[in-house]
Amino acid sequence: SCFLRHARSRNYVSESEVCKLESIPLDFADYHPLKPITVTESKTKKMNRKGSTSSTSSSSSSSMMDPLSSVLDGTDPLSLFAAAADPVTTAATMDSTRKKRDKDDGSAVGSDFEPWSSKRCDILARYTTTEKLSINLYMGSEKGKATTTGSAVSEKVRTRLEELDDLEEGSQKELLNLTQQDYMNRIEELNQSLKDAWSSDQKVKALKIVIQCSKLLSDTTVIQFYPSKFVLITDILDTFGKLVYERILSMCVDSRVSLPDNFSPESVNDTAKETCLNWFFKIASIRELIPRFYVEAAILKCNKFLSKMGISECLPRLTSMIRGIGDPLVAVYARAYLCRVGMEVAPQLKESLNKNFFDFLLTFKQIHGDTVQNQLVVQCVEIPLYLTLYSPAIDWILQCIAYRAPEVLLTEMMERCKKLGNNALLLNSVMSAFRAEFIATRSMDFIGMIKECDESGFPKHLLFRSLGLNLALADPPENDRLQILNEAWKVITKLKNPQDYINCAEVWVEYTCRHFTKREVNTVLADVIKHMTPDRAFEDAYPQLQSIIQKVITYIYDFSLLFSVEKFLPFLDMFQKESVRVEVCKCIMESFIKHQQESTKDPVILNALLHICKTMHDSVNALTLEDEKRMLAALINGFIKMVSFGRDFEQQLSFYVEARSMFCNLEPVLVQLIHSVNQLAMETRKVMKGNHSRKTAAFVRACVAFCFITIPSLSSIFTRLNLYLHSGQVALANQCLSQADAFFKAAVSLVPEVPKMISVDGKMRPSDAFLLEFLCNFFSTLLVVPDHPEQGVLFLVRGLLNVIQDYTWEDNSDDKVRIYTNVLHLLSAMTQEVYIYHVDKVDSNDTLYGGDSKFLAEINKLCETVIAQILDHLKTLGKEETLKRQSQLALYFFNTILAHGDLRNNKLNQLSVNLWNLAQKHGFADTKTMVKTLEYIKRRSKQPEMSHFTDLALRLPLQSRT
């Protein structure tokens, strides 16, 4: 009860001076461990073939001693462990690393070479069919299983030969009427069967499966599915080739020492060589050409075990074998597979790859022969569609040849293609495979060749699309740019099929944005709208239309310029499907937030972006995920933060009011608007230097009213509490005292509604800690809030204490007492003649009451009540299971008295001694903390007017835990 009557009188200025850290002059020229280290870095990274702009890499940093390394004397403890590791383990690790390197043996091919794996998915997605497919499956017999250990070698050989004959005689089952998905599932089953057979040592069965699969590549009955079939079957062949290679490689390991990366055939033991030869002999005995070719190509890499020249001798022979394949489509894919294997195992042998391509040129006229024409009539396939089936294979062959090829060779190949009739297919592949720079510099030549192509053959718009893809990556000569666009667009705009049109236009939009002004971009967008609006054709072209928008905002990121493109907003109207429309809006907003450097008040930008943000907001419904809501809110908030009307604060507030009405379903946006309006009020105060005129006073009251009516619409209770407090502080700073009181009253009345558990990042957590943090902040503000003349002394503090008293706290929680202790800090500060801080131009209670005795008596009454509550709670913690909590709270209360009480008063002094003893009574006090507290008291006793701390220190014994 004597706490506040004897609250320590504080001189905050002198205390602040005493607590300041001692300043020491620092010579900044000296080395300092936090001194920034200059690092310059640029990396050599080549992208895939298209768009490969190379840059050089170097990394340097200023050489200075690392304070952490110096402790280790240059020895890294992890390295020491590694050095002492078991040598067998080390060898095994090296072996696995070597195998991994071996697996990616195409290391001679750089990262700028686009791998087959990146084309695989595109081919599977593009070449599909709804027709029924058939497949011949190998039906394994018991004979296919590995012989028992006791059988003689000759018996084993005879059995395996019989098995191969058995295969030739047709131990297989034909599955008919399969859908495309069923077919793909069956192929996957075969792939798994191959692995299972191999792992169970049924090598002949594995070979049979591979032969069976290879035979499928001679079947072109559903011709439009052939490229996808090739991808699926060659996956199995790749698996087989890898299994055979690794099997032979494992036989080369001698005394746990494996072969080096670039081993020579001399270092391979006889057993491994014999096994390798055995595989080649088995394959040579396959009667049919196509499976024999594919299976041998699959294990081409195994020639490394037999002879240095093995691969270079095999490649020309395999190339010649392809001449025996009659169907030009089957033959071209066989050539593609040979190029693929060749680039993996011997990329340096370019001559064989070139021979492969020139062989193809010799047989090119077959494509337009009678046999093919008759086949197409039977299958009802048009020539333009048939020719597109060749593209993946020819593209790949040309890519392999053109990789790092000299310009002379590329020019020679281009000239050869020119001489052939009906060469549109080749021309397209040349543009797909050759370097973009090579194509771009000869753009007018290519346009000339495209014009000469036969209309009935390969679709001309695909040729312009391929040219456009190159020109998006490399710039043509400046003088040709407009002519190129005119020539291309003349053809594109005449396309009747909307899908063909949009596929082409999508590519050329990038060229237009890259090299021309908004006038040309506007013309192109108008043309797209004109073609895609009839019969709602845009509904089937959303991906391409999205791509166009993305390209436009990539190159035109000045939004005042972008929205002055007349057809841009009408173009957005084509996105009628809500999900796509929202994605496009998100894309535009992301670009705005990324590129808009300065705040804007441009009405064109504001109206357009408000419309876009409204579209995003209106897509939110009960099923929208929280992550999606967060993302949309973040984009809208980014826009709101970028809007500024300068000194026109009323216009700014009007914008916030309009935004509130538009975005009422997204809570984070409302929170941002409240913060923005509070900031607006504070900016007004800053402009007026705290001296509001009648007009500005009315304006800040309007800002305060905006916040007061918006906060209740929020669902998160702690968001509301913190915003009431924040907005009350803003109102107080702007001398809106009655409005500030209203905010603080609202906060006090909301505290009882705080639930026991709240959701934090999707998890339920107790709310006590959050409430304690909020109340401590609230107390700090209440110190400077002046009393209302009609409400009585400390009406807000009393109201808050009543709410805290009535709030249902958890049984095992001491937060209520911690709050009461913080209330004592507040009441102690309120008794001072001059408060520790003030709000400018607001008279706090120290000025209003001037240390009046009645005011101090009221504070003392409150203090008595609070202390009684604290001591009662300490008594209730006297049970054995709560003694530790009692000890902690007693020490917490002791520290409060030490900091805020005048210990020259005997009663207060005695209370502090009792609390000290209670903290130690049952051995739960932390000895280190108690020792440090006592040292602090002794140190304080040496300060002026603190000599009474000396006596106190003598009365505070230290007890050991025992």
Side-chain angles (χ1 to χ4, degrees):
S1 65
C2 55
F3 179 77
L4 285 180
R5 201 174 301 147
H6 301 285
R8 184 158 69 84
S9 182
R10 309 286 288 270
N11 183 334
Y12 292 117
V13 177
S14 62
E15 283 186 37
S16 175
E17 287 299 322
V18 170
C19 293
K20 273 187 182 173
L21 291 171
E22 186 184 350
S23 59
I24 299 171
L26 179 67
D27 181 2
F28 285 102
D30 292 345
Y31 164 71
H32 187 275
L34 299 183
K35 198 173 180 180
I37 296 172
T38 311
V39 177
T40 46
E41 181 178 337
S42 57
K43 298 199 171 162
T44 302
K45 187 173 181 186
K46 291 202 171 183
M47 307 303 290
N48 59 24
R49 194 193 57 78
K50 296 283 186 203
S52 59
T53 48
S54 59
S55 58
T56 317
S57 154
S58 69
S59 177
S60 65
S61 62
S62 61
S63 60
M64 52 173 67
M65 188 184 74
D66 172 7
L68 299 179
S69 301
S70 60
V71 180
L72 298 169
D73 300 324
T75 56
D76 168 10
L78 295 180
S79 303
L80 292 175
F81 283 128
D86 176 18
V88 174
T89 314
T90 311
T93 309
M94 286 171 66
D95 188 38
S96 67
T97 310
R98 188 196 55 69
K99 277 191 179 177
K100 189 179 176 188
R101 277 207 313 272
D102 231 21
K103 198 162 62 176
D104 321 322
D105 204 24
S107 55
V109 175
S111 58
D112 55 337
F113 182 80
E114 189 179 357
W116 173 258
S117 55
S118 67
K119 298 175 180 290
R120 188 182 174 281
C121 295
D122 184 48
I123 296 171
L124 289 173
R126 187 175 164 197
Y127 297 97
T128 58
T129 183
T130 51
E131 290 185 39
K132 297 298 183 185
L133 301 154
S134 63
I135 187 170
N136 289 324
L137 281 180
Y138 161 68
M139 303 299 290
S141 64
E142 287 301 309
K143 286 194 287 182
K145 291 182 182 172
T147 52
T148 55
T149 320
S151 59
V153 176
S154 57
E155 183 63 31
K156 189 175 179 180
V157 171
R158 192 182 310 120
T159 306
R160 290 197 171 176
L161 287 171
E162 283 171 6
E163 285 168 346
L164 278 171
D165 288 340
D166 186 35
L167 170 70
E168 297 288 343
E169 287 158 15
S171 59
Q172 48 195 292
K173 175 185 175 185
E174 188 171 21
L175 297 174
L176 303 170
N177 297 324
L178 298 175
T179 64
Q180 181 182 318
Q181 190 55 50
D182 291 339
Y183 189 90
M184 291 169 80
N185 293 342
R186 294 289 181 183
I187 295 292
E188 184 51 43
E189 283 172 23
L190 282 172
N191 202 353
Q192 192 55 48
S193 300
L194 167 66
K195 292 174 187 173
D196 294 343
W198 192 272
S199 60
S200 59
D201 204 30
Q202 298 182 57
K203 304 294 187 291
V204 171
K205 181 180 176 182
L207 178 59
K208 286 181 179 184
I209 292 169
V210 176
I211 294 169
Q212 197 63 53
C213 290
S214 305
K215 281 185 176 180
L216 296 174
L217 289 173
S218 59
D219 173 27
T220 57
T221 44
V222 182
I223 204 161
Q224 63 268 38
F225 184 63
Y226 191 85
S228 290
K229 184 200 282 188
F230 170 80
V231 168
L232 297 168
I233 302 295
T234 52
D235 283 351
I236 295 176
L237 288 163
D238 292 343
T239 303
F240 176 71
K242 183 178 157 194
L243 291 170
V244 173
Y245 183 82
E246 286 180 354
R247 161 83 175 139
I248 298 169
L249 189 67
S250 67
M251 299 172 78
C252 299
V253 177
D254 187 28
S255 305
R256 292 190 179 176
V257 177
S258 55
L259 289 176
D261 284 342
N262 298 315
F263 64 87
S264 63
E266 290 75 31
S267 56
V268 178
N269 59 45
D270 291 345
T271 312
K273 281 184 177 176
E274 189 179 334
T275 306
C276 187
L277 275 170
N278 188 26
W279 277 110
F280 280 111
F281 291 153
K282 277 180 187 172
I283 291 162
S285 68
I286 298 170
R287 294 172 193 171
E288 291 183 34
L289 172 63
I290 289 174
R292 186 166 74 247
F293 163 79
Y294 272 107
V295 180
E296 183 172 354
I299 67 162
L300 182 67
K301 191 177 180 181
C302 295
N303 279 286
K304 285 170 67 176
F305 298 109
L306 300 175
S307 115
K308 279 183 181 175
M309 305 301 291
I311 293 174
S312 57
E313 288 167 0
C314 271
L315 274 173
R317 181 171 54 79
L318 288 170
T319 303
S320 301
M321 277 173 73
I322 298 171
R323 293 175 184 173
I325 300 174
D327 189 313
L329 185 65
V330 177
V332 81
Y333 275 94
R335 293 186 192 284
Y337 187 67
L338 189 59
C339 282
R340 196 171 117 199
V341 176
M343 282 302 280
E344 281 176 24
V345 301
Q348 71 281 5
L349 298 175
K350 276 290 186 69
E351 294 220 353
S352 295
L353 300 182
N354 297 350
K355 180 175 182 280
N356 194 359
F357 178 67
F358 293 136
D359 263 14
F360 165 69
L361 291 183
L362 291 172
T363 58
F364 183 71
K365 58 179 182 287
Q366 272 186 291
I367 293 173
H368 301 279
D370 292 341
T371 313
V372 171
Q373 300 294 338
N374 296 338
Q375 187 185 10
L376 297 185
V377 169
V378 171
Q379 294 202 32
C380 302
V381 173
E382 299 290 326
I383 271 282
L385 172 63
Y386 174 68
L387 291 178
T388 59
L389 302 178
Y390 284 80
S391 292
I394 302 175
D395 288 358
W396 178 257
I397 295 168
L398 283 170
Q399 182 188 320
C400 294
I401 294 170
Y403 179 63
R404 294 182 182 172
E407 201 139 310
V408 182
L409 177 63
L410 299 184
T411 311
E412 183 199 341
M413 290 169 67
M414 191 174 131
E415 291 302 322
R416 284 216 191 185
C417 294
K418 253 188 196 177
K419 289 173 187 171
L420 291 168
N422 298 320
N423 65 352
L425 170 64
L426 281 174
L427 192 57
N428 187 62
S429 291
V430 164
M431 288 190 288
S432 299
F434 283 17
R435 288 190 289 274
E437 295 79 10
F438 180 88
I439 306 294
T441 52
R442 297 165 177 76
S443 299
M444 291 310 297
D445 292 346
F446 277 97
I447 284 177
M449 287 190 276
I450 292 170
K451 279 177 162 179
E452 289 168 15
C453 288
D454 184 6
E455 280 288 349
S456 63
F458 193 86
K460 203 170 273 192
H461 66 88
L462 289 182
L463 297 174
F464 272 106
R465 186 175 190 277
S466 297
L467 179 61
L469 286 169
N470 282 285
L471 297 182
L473 298 168
D475 298 336
E478 197 164 338
N479 297 335
D480 295 342
R481 287 173 189 176
L482 186 58
Q483 191 184 349
I484 290 168
L485 180 62
N486 288 335
E487 291 288 353
W489 209 261
K490 259 191 256 174
V491 174
I492 296 167
T493 197
K494 287 177 187 170
L495 293 171
K496 297 284 185 283
N497 183 318
Q499 206 60 41
D500 291 345
Y501 170 83
I502 196 65
N503 284 336
C504 232
E506 174 207 350
V507 172
W508 281 88
V509 162
E510 184 164 2
Y511 175 76
T512 312
C513 293
R514 193 177 165 116
H515 298 297
F516 299 98
T517 64
K518 71 171 190 176
R519 188 170 70 86
E520 288 81 4
V521 173
N522 192 55
T523 307
V524 169
L525 292 182
D527 196 58
V528 174
I529 294 169
K530 179 180 147 193
H531 276 80
M532 301 309 292
T533 308
D535 303 324
R536 297 176 70 83
F538 54 77
E539 290 183 342
D540 299 321
Y542 284 138
Q544 293 92 330
L545 294 173
Q546 272 180 276
S547 173
I548 288 173
I549 286 285
Q550 183 69 60
K551 284 165 183 169
V552 170
I553 61 178
T554 299
Y555 288 97
I556 309 178
Y557 44 78
D558 176 349
F559 274 69
S560 56
L561 182 64
L562 178 67
F563 289 126
S564 67
V565 175
E566 190 186 332
K567 294 295 179 183
F568 183 75
L569 290 174
F571 190 93
L572 288 183
D573 292 336
M574 285 197 290
F575 294 99
Q576 305 267 312
K577 188 178 176 184
E578 188 184 57
S579 59
V580 182
R581 192 182 181 88
V582 170
E583 282 304 313
V584 171
C585 290
K586 278 158 65 175
C587 195
I588 293 169
M589 290 312 300
E590 281 166 5
S591 176
F592 176 77
I593 291 165
K594 181 180 176 184
H595 293 111
Q596 189 73 21
Q597 299 298 322
E598 297 172 0
S599 53
T600 181
K601 61 177 181 179
D602 184 332
V604 175
I605 293 179
L606 295 192
N607 289 329
L609 291 185
L610 273 172
H611 171 68
I612 286 168
C613 289
K614 179 80 172 121
T615 302
M616 295 195 302
H617 168 271
D618 291 350
S619 70
V620 174
N621 56 41
L623 300 176
T624 307
L625 297 172
E626 285 303 315
D627 277 354
E628 177 72 4
K629 285 184 188 175
R630 266 197 295 274
M631 184 188 293
L632 294 177
L635 292 171
I636 296 171
N637 284 345
F639 163 59
I640 289 169
K641 288 177 194 171
M642 292 306 294
V643 176
S644 171
F645 290 90
R647 284 291 183 88
D648 190 349
F649 291 161
E650 289 183 350
Q651 182 68 36
Q652 188 84 32
L653 183 60
S654 299
F655 169 76
Y656 291 144
V657 171
E658 185 185 357
R660 180 178 63 185
S661 67
M662 292 176 83
F663 310 126
C664 54
N665 289 335
L666 287 171
E667 193 160 301
V669 179
L670 294 180
V671 172
Q672 177 59 46
L673 287 169
I674 293 166
H675 283 307
S676 296
V677 170
N678 277 329
Q679 188 180 353
L680 190 59
M682 293 306 287
E683 280 176 20
T684 309
R685 177 182 181 273
K686 185 179 176 184
V687 169
M688 300 303 293
K689 296 180 180 168
N691 300 307
H692 283 299
S693 64
R694 182 177 293 180
K695 186 180 178 184
T696 59
F699 176 74
V700 293
R701 282 198 293 273
C703 291
V704 167
F706 175 99
C707 298
F708 193 75
I709 62 174
T710 309
I711 293 171
S713 64
L714 304 174
S715 61
S716 166
I717 195 156
F718 278 103
T719 303
R720 273 185 282 161
L721 281 170
N722 286 312
L723 285 173
Y724 274 134
L725 178 57
H726 184 215
S727 302
Q729 290 165 345
V730 171
L732 200 60
N734 284 286
Q735 300 122 52
C736 302
L737 301 183
S738 57
Q739 285 86 349
D741 279 350
F743 278 116
F744 297 140
K745 280 180 186 172
V748 170
S749 62
L750 194 58
V751 170
E753 296 177 27
V754 174
K756 294 286 170 289
M757 305 290 284
I758 56 167
S759 176
V760 179
D761 296 332
K763 294 179 181 176
M764 297 308 288
R765 300 276 165 82
S767 63
D768 294 4
F770 297 97
L771 184 56
L772 179 62
E773 182 187 1
F774 167 74
L775 289 172
C776 288
N777 288 339
F778 200 0
F779 295 148
S780 302
T781 304
L782 289 179
L783 175 64
V784 291
V785 177
D787 279 345
H788 195 286
E790 296 170 10
Q791 300 280 359
V793 178
L794 301 179
F795 75 102
L796 281 172
V797 178
R798 289 175 188 280
L800 190 53
L801 283 172
N802 290 334
V803 165
I804 294 165
Q805 175 63 30
D806 296 338
Y807 187 79
T808 311
W809 300 89
E810 294 287 337
D811 292 337
N812 60 347
S813 168
D814 296 319
D815 286 330
K816 183 176 179 180
V817 174
R818 293 184 187 279
I819 290 167
Y820 279 148
T821 312
N822 283 310
V823 170
L824 288 179
H825 301 172
L826 168 63
L827 295 174
S828 169
M830 282 182 162
T831 62
Q832 304 300 319
E833 284 184 29
V834 179
Y835 289 174
I836 186 169
Y837 47 82
H838 292 87
V839 176
D840 190 32
K841 298 189 173 53
V842 174
D843 290 333
S844 297
N845 286 339
D846 57 342
T847 308
L848 293 181
Y849 292 109
D852 183 76
S853 57
K854 287 183 181 177
F855 173 64
L856 295 176
E858 287 294 327
I859 294 177
N860 196 47
K861 280 183 191 172
L862 275 179
C863 184
E864 287 176 8
T865 311
V866 171
I867 289 179
Q869 291 278 354
I870 294 171
L871 294 175
D872 285 347
H873 187 80
L874 282 171
K875 284 177 188 171
T876 63
L877 297 177
K879 296 172 188 170
E880 191 174 340
E881 64 273 13
T882 54
L883 290 175
K884 186 173 183 181
R885 283 165 55 199
Q886 186 189 55
S887 168
Q888 290 168 343
L889 281 181
L891 186 60
Y892 188 59
F893 190 21
F894 171 82
N895 285 330
T896 294
I897 295 174
L898 200 61
H900 300 281
D902 185 352
L903 289 167
R904 284 175 291 203
N905 175 267
N906 291 333
K907 286 186 179 178
L908 202 54
N909 201 306
Q910 185 57 48
L911 176 59
S912 64
V913 172
N914 292 344
L915 288 169
W916 176 269
N917 291 330
L918 181 61
Q920 299 187 98
K921 188 175 179 182
H922 300 286
F924 285 106
D926 179 45
T927 310
K928 281 184 183 176
T929 307
M930 304 305 280
V931 169
K932 285 181 180 176
T933 306
L934 196 54
E935 285 173 0
Y936 166 76
I937 293 168
K938 288 173 182 174
R939 211 163 44 246
R940 287 287 302 276
S941 68
K942 293 171 185 172
Q943 293 176 4
E945 299 181 14
M946 287 291 177
S947 56
H948 58 283
F949 269 41
T950 308
D951 296 331
L952 177 65
L954 295 171
R955 298 179 65 200
L956 300 178
L958 277 174
Q959 294 175 9
S960 65
R961 287 190 174 226
T962 54

